[in-house]
Amino acid sequence: MAVDASDFLPEQLDLEALREAARDCRGCDLWKPATQTVFGEGPQDAAMVLVGEVPGDREDREGHPFVGPAGRELGKALEAVGIERGEVYITNAVKHFKFEERGKRRIHQRPDAKQVKACRPWLRAELDAVRPEALVILGATAAKTLLGSAFRLMAQRGQPLESDLAPFVVATIHPSAILRGSDSDSRQAQRELLTEDLRVAAEAIAARR
Ligand code: URA
Ligand code: SF4
């Protein structure tokens, strides 16, 4: 049995070939109950890559990343800093929806470290294909797996990070944190954090031009 996604990588490492090959990935056990692989999307020459955690229920059914409520928040935050969603490459640390069935509902589950590690060859290949100027890491799960388990999101968000993943790397809150806010003030406060950190990345890209 495969221990990670590397057995499934295509010979040619452009985005189209990667996306095609990822459909049949069996690099961990998450493919089985899920509907389909949700690969990253966006232009190959995107200056910014954003990486989330794992597709949700909507993403699993539709086959596209960040098309549910969290994606709507992300789109609004990008727009607030003058970036169109279509200009950036959006993906996830793990490409299959992980869930637990409760009656008719499928409840999102956080991928474990082994699953994120197994899926890592896809993310690595996406970053190699796009070679963005800035990488934005969304949420603590993705941040800890990409930057090390000592990473503390709320202490380090919005700051340029030392990493070989991209010339400029920054981490911010996951857009679903906004949705979990208990009232409109706390949701607004979370929205502002996300927007602030995206602005840091947007300015870093502008400064490199
Ligand atoms: N949350 C994520 O981390 N990724 C998605 O694609 C959707 C919700
Ligand atoms: Fe492959 Fe990643 Fe899906 Fe696991 S989650 S089967 S490694 S694409």
Side-chain angles (χ1 to χ4, degrees):
M1 213 181 89
V3 292
D4 72 15
S6 56
D7 290 354
F8 302 89
L9 289 185
E11 263 171 42
Q12 233 185 325
L13 295 173
D14 62 277
L15 285 180
E16 269 324 299
L18 288 168
R19 178 172 297 111
E20 189 59 37
R23 281 180 214 272
D24 300 319
C25 184
R26 306 280 186 265
C28 75
D29 52 4
L30 290 180
W31 66 273
K32 226 176 194 169
T35 310
Q36 57 192 319
T37 305
V38 180
F39 206 67
E41 285 179 2
Q44 180 135 357
D45 63 354
M48 184 187 288
V49 168
L50 297 110
V51 56
E53 181 190 285
V54 60
D57 180 69
R58 279 278 292 279
E59 288 78 17
D60 174 70
R61 285 187 274 129
E62 296 181 23
H64 304 289
F66 282 101
V67 288
R72 209 157 38 241
E73 290 293 344
L74 182 59
K76 278 197 283 188
L78 284 168
E79 207 176 295
V81 301
I83 296 174
E84 275 180 50
R85 186 181 161 136
E87 309 170 39
V88 298
Y89 187 86
I90 302 184
T91 191
N92 283 298
V94 166
K95 311 301 197 229
H96 276 103
F97 180 35
K98 181 175 179 181
F99 60 94
E100 198 180 273
E101 272 178 307
R102 274 192 225 141
K104 277 190 185 153
R105 293 187 62 205
R106 303 192 301 169
I107 310 295
H108 158 276
Q109 298 231 288
R110 189 166 288 154
D112 61 38
K114 224 173 85 194
Q115 291 158 337
V116 184
K117 193 158 167 256
C119 210
R120 183 80 174 254
W122 292 121
L123 181 63
R124 186 80 249 180
E126 287 174 295
L127 289 171
D128 286 346
V130 178
R131 307 218 299 121
E133 289 169 46
L135 173 68
V136 178
I137 302 172
L138 302 168
T141 303
K144 281 178 190 289
T145 56
L146 293 173
L147 304 167
S149 56
F151 187 79
R152 292 290 170 267
L153 184 67
M154 293 321 277
Q156 291 173 274
R157 52 155 279 273
Q159 298 170 17
L161 300 167
E162 204 51 59
S163 163
D164 61 2
L165 294 165
F168 187 87
V169 178
V170 69
T172 186
I173 61 157
H174 193 287
S176 66
I178 299 167
L179 307 170
R180 286 195 301 269
S182 53
D183 54 36
S184 70
D185 282 355
S186 68
R187 285 191 291 275
Q188 197 49 36
Q190 296 287 315
R191 266 187 201 111
E192 278 161 26
L193 296 186
L194 177 61
T195 306
E196 241 172 61
D197 299 343
L198 289 178
R199 184 166 287 121
V200 171
E203 284 171 359
I205 291 170
R208 290 171 54 84
R209 294 223 159 122

